Every structure is written in structure tokens, then in C-alpha cells.
Amino acid sequence: MASSHSQTVLFSILLFLSLHQACAKMTHLNFYFHVTDVQANATDYGTIIVMDQALREGLDENSTLIGRVQGIQAAVGKDGSLETMFNFLFLNEKYNGSTLAIYGRAPLGTTIERPVIGGTGKFRMSTGYSLAKPVILSATRLVYELNVYVWTWKLK
């Protein structure tokens, strides 16, 4: 009986993985998250910050604006780590009005991996992950290079 149950579970997993491959499209996005109003106490334990910052095509602060990062971050770790809840709102022609929801812990000074927990518009029913690598860290400016890998169900 246990063997039959194990076979059913294995079959179900393989079927799900096959359907996911056939019905999901992977998109890789690369852009830069520019934080221009850096606050000195942003990592003091218990600090909560609401943000609306630029997503840009390049590292330069004058590069093409492709969207906004809107959300909340809170300093939750005594080590300065943050808990982040962001929506990436796309304003560029290809994904205009679509969003991706990113949630997770952000240890400072290292590459940050967070899950994509959903989306709207062209990213409806999305899952995936994001990697944010700090490329400029100064007292007045922070820039992260983001690589986002998103799987979106092909609904139509």
C-alpha cells in the first residue's frame, strides 16, 4: 500500500513539473534600483521607511527610467538587516502598468536574494526570485543591480 501511495505522489510531482514547463514562461529582467534619499538611521533597529524610488535601465542616475520601487522596509535585525516589502511598478512600454511583488530579508552589504511572490498585468500569476547586488554604496546614494527571474503562467 505504501508503494502505491509513493508512486501516486511521484507521478503527481512529475505531472506538475511537466505542466509547469509547458505552461510557464521564464523572463529574466535586469535593471538598477536607485536609492537617492539615503537616511543615516535607516538601519537602526525598529526603523520603518516607506519608499518610492527609481528603477533605471542603467547604473547612471540619468539613465532611462523603467519603473518605480514602492514599498516598506523595516530594520528588524540587530545586525542592521532589513525586512522588505516592495512592488516594482513598471512604466516602460513593454511592461507598462505591470507590477512584481518582492518580499524578504535583506542583509546589508551582500547580494540579497528575495522571492517574487506575485505580480499584476503581464506578470499575473508570477513566481520567481530576485538577486540584488550593491554596486554603489555611499553616504548619499545607493544603487543595486537587480536580476529578476520570473515564471509566468501562459494563460492565453
Side-chain angles (χ1 to χ4, degrees), residues 86-142:
F86 295 143
N87 277 297
F88 293 172
L89 169 62
F90 292 92
L91 304 171
N92 61 339
E93 188 175 324
K94 186 172 184 179
Y95 301 115
N96 190 27
S98 298
T99 65
L100 285 171
I102 311 285
Y103 175 83
R105 185 175 179 273
L108 299 178
T110 183
T111 298
I112 303 163
E113 181 176 357
R114 289 177 285 216
V116 174
I117 59 172
T120 64
K122 297 212 175 168
F123 297 116
R124 184 178 297 136
M125 302 278 293
S126 290
T127 60
Y129 66 97
S130 69
L131 298 170
K133 178 183 170 184
V135 290
I136 296 177
L137 296 170
S138 74
T140 58
R141 187 168 170 235
L142 302 174

Side-chain angles (χ1 to χ4, degrees), residues 2-77:
S3 175
S4 174
H5 179 70
S6 297
Q7 288 175 343
T8 302
V9 169
L10 181 59
F11 176 75
S12 298
I13 291 170
L14 291 173
L15 179 62
F16 172 78
L17 292 174
S18 297
L19 286 173
H20 189 266
Q21 282 293 91
C23 299
K25 174 187 169 201
M26 198 279 280
T27 303
H28 171 234
L29 302 166
N30 176 261
F31 42 80
Y32 293 83
F33 172 16
H34 291 252
V35 181
T36 54
D37 57 348
V38 177
Q39 297 178 15
N41 65 347
T43 59
D44 288 350
Y45 183 74
T47 300
I48 296 173
I49 295 175
V50 177
M51 67 171 39
D52 183 357
Q53 300 288 343
L55 278 180
R56 295 197 176 275
E57 193 172 80
L59 187 56
D60 186 272
E61 59 191 32
N62 296 314
S63 64
T64 303
L65 179 71
I66 61 169
R68 307 289 302 171
V69 177
Q70 298 172 333
I72 299 171
Q73 67 183 24
V76 296

